[in-house]
mmCIF file of all heavy atoms in Angstrom:
data_model
loop_
_atom_site.group_PDB
_atom_site.id
_atom_site.type_symbol
_atom_site.label_atom_id
_atom_site.label_comp_id
_atom_site.label_asym_id
_atom_site.label_seq_id
_atom_site.Cartn_x
_atom_site.Cartn_y
_atom_site.Cartn_z
ATOM 1 N N ARG A 112 13.849 6.496 -23.625
ATOM 2 C CA ARG A 112 14.774 6.987 -24.626
ATOM 3 C C ARG A 112 15.230 5.811 -25.463
ATOM 4 O O ARG A 112 15.157 4.658 -25.020
ATOM 5 C CB ARG A 112 15.940 7.756 -24.006
ATOM 6 C CG ARG A 112 16.862 6.939 -23.145
ATOM 7 C CD ARG A 112 17.969 7.786 -22.511
ATOM 8 N NE ARG A 112 18.627 8.677 -23.455
ATOM 9 C CZ ARG A 112 19.804 9.257 -23.280
ATOM 10 N NH1 ARG A 112 20.493 9.027 -22.171
ATOM 11 N NH2 ARG A 112 20.301 10.083 -24.188
ATOM 12 N N THR A 113 15.711 6.100 -26.656
ATOM 13 C CA THR A 113 16.008 5.036 -27.606
ATOM 14 C C THR A 113 17.474 4.644 -27.651
ATOM 15 O O THR A 113 17.853 3.762 -28.423
ATOM 16 C CB THR A 113 15.534 5.433 -29.004
ATOM 17 O OG1 THR A 113 16.133 6.676 -29.386
ATOM 18 C CG2 THR A 113 14.015 5.571 -29.035
ATOM 19 N N GLY A 114 18.301 5.267 -26.843
ATOM 20 C CA GLY A 114 19.700 4.923 -26.778
ATOM 21 C C GLY A 114 20.405 5.737 -25.726
ATOM 22 O O GLY A 114 19.817 6.632 -25.120
ATOM 23 N N GLY A 115 21.679 5.427 -25.493
ATOM 24 C CA GLY A 115 22.478 6.182 -24.553
ATOM 25 C C GLY A 115 22.398 5.656 -23.137
ATOM 26 O O GLY A 115 22.144 4.484 -22.899
ATOM 27 N N SER A 116 22.610 6.556 -22.190
ATOM 28 C CA SER A 116 22.600 6.193 -20.785
ATOM 29 C C SER A 116 21.182 6.086 -20.253
ATOM 30 O O SER A 116 20.285 6.790 -20.706
ATOM 31 C CB SER A 116 23.378 7.224 -19.971
ATOM 32 O OG SER A 116 24.725 7.293 -20.383
ATOM 33 N N CYS A 117 20.992 5.238 -19.264
ATOM 34 C CA CYS A 117 19.668 4.999 -18.718
ATOM 35 C C CYS A 117 19.485 5.514 -17.297
ATOM 36 O O CYS A 117 18.386 5.389 -16.752
ATOM 37 C CB CYS A 117 19.330 3.510 -18.748
ATOM 38 S SG CYS A 117 19.234 2.804 -20.404
ATOM 39 N N TYR A 118 20.526 6.075 -16.693
ATOM 40 C CA TYR A 118 20.366 6.577 -15.341
ATOM 41 C C TYR A 118 19.291 7.662 -15.311
ATOM 42 O O TYR A 118 18.985 8.281 -16.326
ATOM 43 C CB TYR A 118 21.696 7.071 -14.775
ATOM 44 C CG TYR A 118 22.286 8.279 -15.473
ATOM 45 C CD1 TYR A 118 22.118 9.552 -14.942
ATOM 46 C CD2 TYR A 118 23.019 8.141 -16.648
ATOM 47 C CE1 TYR A 118 22.661 10.658 -15.565
ATOM 48 C CE2 TYR A 118 23.561 9.238 -17.280
ATOM 49 C CZ TYR A 118 23.384 10.496 -16.736
ATOM 50 O OH TYR A 118 23.933 11.594 -17.357
ATOM 51 N N ILE A 119 18.740 7.910 -14.145
ATOM 52 C CA ILE A 119 17.574 8.786 -14.054
ATOM 53 C C ILE A 119 17.897 10.240 -14.350
ATOM 54 O O ILE A 119 16.982 11.032 -14.597
ATOM 55 C CB ILE A 119 16.878 8.663 -12.685
ATOM 56 C CG1 ILE A 119 17.853 8.928 -11.537
ATOM 57 C CG2 ILE A 119 16.216 7.303 -12.550
ATOM 58 C CD1 ILE A 119 17.208 8.858 -10.162
ATOM 59 N N GLY A 120 19.176 10.596 -14.361
ATOM 60 C CA GLY A 120 19.560 11.936 -14.754
ATOM 61 C C GLY A 120 19.763 12.112 -16.244
ATOM 62 O O GLY A 120 20.032 13.231 -16.697
ATOM 63 N N ALA A 121 19.631 11.045 -16.994
ATOM 64 C CA ALA A 121 19.821 11.104 -18.432
ATOM 65 C C ALA A 121 18.662 11.820 -19.109
ATOM 66 O O ALA A 121 17.614 12.063 -18.514
ATOM 67 C CB ALA A 121 19.976 9.694 -18.988
ATOM 68 N N GLU A 122 18.866 12.138 -20.361
ATOM 69 C CA GLU A 122 17.851 12.865 -21.120
ATOM 70 C C GLU A 122 16.864 11.884 -21.733
ATOM 71 O O GLU A 122 17.154 11.223 -22.727
ATOM 72 C CB GLU A 122 18.506 13.709 -22.208
ATOM 73 C CG GLU A 122 17.523 14.553 -22.997
ATOM 74 C CD GLU A 122 18.187 15.418 -24.038
ATOM 75 O OE1 GLU A 122 19.433 15.385 -24.137
ATOM 76 O OE2 GLU A 122 17.473 16.127 -24.760
ATOM 77 N N TYR A 123 15.703 11.812 -21.136
ATOM 78 C CA TYR A 123 14.645 10.961 -21.666
ATOM 79 C C TYR A 123 13.823 11.743 -22.675
ATOM 80 O O TYR A 123 13.476 12.905 -22.443
ATOM 81 C CB TYR A 123 13.779 10.416 -20.533
ATOM 82 C CG TYR A 123 14.442 9.258 -19.843
ATOM 83 C CD1 TYR A 123 15.509 9.448 -18.986
ATOM 84 C CD2 TYR A 123 14.019 7.949 -20.079
ATOM 85 C CE1 TYR A 123 16.149 8.380 -18.382
ATOM 86 C CE2 TYR A 123 14.639 6.871 -19.472
ATOM 87 C CZ TYR A 123 15.703 7.094 -18.628
ATOM 88 O OH TYR A 123 16.322 6.027 -18.026
ATOM 89 N N THR A 124 13.500 11.107 -23.763
ATOM 90 C CA THR A 124 12.921 11.775 -24.916
ATOM 91 C C THR A 124 11.404 11.665 -24.996
ATOM 92 O O THR A 124 10.728 12.608 -25.415
ATOM 93 C CB THR A 124 13.528 11.211 -26.209
ATOM 94 O OG1 THR A 124 14.957 11.323 -26.154
ATOM 95 C CG2 THR A 124 13.028 11.977 -27.428
ATOM 96 N N TYR A 125 10.875 10.529 -24.624
ATOM 97 C CA TYR A 125 9.455 10.265 -24.764
ATOM 98 C C TYR A 125 8.794 10.206 -23.409
ATOM 99 O O TYR A 125 9.349 9.657 -22.455
ATOM 100 C CB TYR A 125 9.230 8.950 -25.522
ATOM 101 C CG TYR A 125 9.801 8.974 -26.912
ATOM 102 C CD1 TYR A 125 11.074 8.474 -27.170
ATOM 103 C CD2 TYR A 125 9.078 9.506 -27.970
ATOM 104 C CE1 TYR A 125 11.612 8.508 -28.446
ATOM 105 C CE2 TYR A 125 9.608 9.543 -29.245
ATOM 106 C CZ TYR A 125 10.867 9.044 -29.479
ATOM 107 O OH TYR A 125 11.397 9.078 -30.747
ATOM 108 N N TRP A 126 7.582 10.739 -23.349
ATOM 109 C CA TRP A 126 6.884 10.864 -22.074
ATOM 110 C C TRP A 126 5.413 10.506 -22.203
ATOM 111 O O TRP A 126 4.777 10.813 -23.211
ATOM 112 C CB TRP A 126 6.993 12.300 -21.546
ATOM 113 C CG TRP A 126 8.391 12.693 -21.259
ATOM 114 C CD1 TRP A 126 9.312 13.189 -22.141
ATOM 115 C CD2 TRP A 126 9.054 12.593 -20.002
ATOM 116 N NE1 TRP A 126 10.504 13.410 -21.502
ATOM 117 C CE2 TRP A 126 10.373 13.062 -20.198
ATOM 118 C CE3 TRP A 126 8.658 12.169 -18.729
ATOM 119 C CZ2 TRP A 126 11.301 13.103 -19.164
ATOM 120 C CZ3 TRP A 126 9.573 12.208 -17.700
ATOM 121 C CH2 TRP A 126 10.876 12.672 -17.921
ATOM 122 N N GLY A 127 4.900 9.860 -21.184
ATOM 123 C CA GLY A 127 3.470 9.668 -21.086
ATOM 124 C C GLY A 127 2.809 10.897 -20.501
ATOM 125 O O GLY A 127 3.465 11.877 -20.149
ATOM 126 N N ARG A 128 1.514 10.849 -20.383
ATOM 127 C CA ARG A 128 0.774 11.986 -19.852
ATOM 128 C C ARG A 128 0.715 12.005 -18.335
ATOM 129 O O ARG A 128 0.356 13.025 -17.747
ATOM 130 C CB ARG A 128 -0.645 11.998 -20.418
ATOM 131 C CG ARG A 128 -0.697 12.340 -21.899
ATOM 132 C CD ARG A 128 -2.122 12.497 -22.366
ATOM 133 N NE ARG A 128 -2.193 12.966 -23.747
ATOM 134 C CZ ARG A 128 -3.315 13.236 -24.383
ATOM 135 N NH1 ARG A 128 -4.479 13.078 -23.760
ATOM 136 N NH2 ARG A 128 -3.288 13.659 -25.635
ATOM 137 N N GLY A 129 1.058 10.913 -17.700
ATOM 138 C CA GLY A 129 1.133 10.870 -16.256
ATOM 139 C C GLY A 129 -0.071 10.232 -15.597
ATOM 140 O O GLY A 129 -1.152 10.145 -16.167
ATOM 141 N N THR A 130 0.145 9.779 -14.369
ATOM 142 C CA THR A 130 -0.923 9.254 -13.534
ATOM 143 C C THR A 130 -0.718 9.794 -12.124
ATOM 144 O O THR A 130 0.396 9.807 -11.603
ATOM 145 C CB THR A 130 -0.950 7.705 -13.564
ATOM 146 O OG1 THR A 130 -2.082 7.223 -12.840
ATOM 147 C CG2 THR A 130 0.322 7.098 -12.988
ATOM 148 N N GLN A 131 -1.787 10.262 -11.521
ATOM 149 C CA GLN A 131 -1.693 10.961 -10.245
ATOM 150 C C GLN A 131 -1.648 9.983 -9.082
ATOM 151 O O GLN A 131 -2.448 9.046 -9.005
ATOM 152 C CB GLN A 131 -2.882 11.904 -10.070
ATOM 153 C CG GLN A 131 -2.864 12.692 -8.763
ATOM 154 C CD GLN A 131 -1.739 13.694 -8.710
ATOM 155 O OE1 GLN A 131 -1.502 14.419 -9.683
ATOM 156 N NE2 GLN A 131 -1.025 13.740 -7.588
ATOM 157 N N VAL A 132 -0.723 10.224 -8.162
ATOM 158 C CA VAL A 132 -0.627 9.474 -6.916
ATOM 159 C C VAL A 132 -0.767 10.455 -5.766
ATOM 160 O O VAL A 132 -0.013 11.427 -5.676
ATOM 161 C CB VAL A 132 0.710 8.720 -6.806
ATOM 162 C CG1 VAL A 132 0.865 8.091 -5.415
ATOM 163 C CG2 VAL A 132 0.813 7.661 -7.884
ATOM 164 N N THR A 133 -1.724 10.202 -4.908
ATOM 165 C CA THR A 133 -1.947 11.045 -3.749
ATOM 166 C C THR A 133 -1.919 10.183 -2.495
ATOM 167 O O THR A 133 -2.668 9.209 -2.389
ATOM 168 C CB THR A 133 -3.293 11.772 -3.844
ATOM 169 O OG1 THR A 133 -3.328 12.552 -5.046
ATOM 170 C CG2 THR A 133 -3.485 12.696 -2.651
ATOM 171 N N VAL A 134 -1.055 10.538 -1.559
ATOM 172 C CA VAL A 134 -0.888 9.781 -0.325
ATOM 173 C C VAL A 134 -1.284 10.675 0.838
ATOM 174 O O VAL A 134 -0.696 11.733 1.047
ATOM 175 C CB VAL A 134 0.553 9.291 -0.149
ATOM 176 C CG1 VAL A 134 0.663 8.413 1.090
ATOM 177 C CG2 VAL A 134 1.016 8.528 -1.383
ATOM 178 N N SER A 135 -2.260 10.228 1.583
ATOM 179 C CA SER A 135 -2.770 10.990 2.711
ATOM 180 C C SER A 135 -2.271 10.400 4.014
ATOM 181 O O SER A 135 -2.085 9.189 4.144
ATOM 182 C CB SER A 135 -4.299 10.990 2.711
ATOM 183 O OG SER A 135 -4.808 11.538 1.515
#
């Protein structure tokens, strides 16, 4: 996000497409 609060409950605006993590 480009401003405001940074805690993980904040509203993040921009997102990547993701990367998969699998733990067996």
Side-chain angles (χ1 to χ4, degrees):
R112 65 182 313 198
T113 56
S116 299
C117 296
Y118 65 99
I119 55 178
E122 183 178 359
Y123 281 74
T124 305
Y125 299 95
W126 297 85
R128 290 187 174 183
T130 185
Q131 181 68 45
V132 173
T133 302
V134 185
S135 301

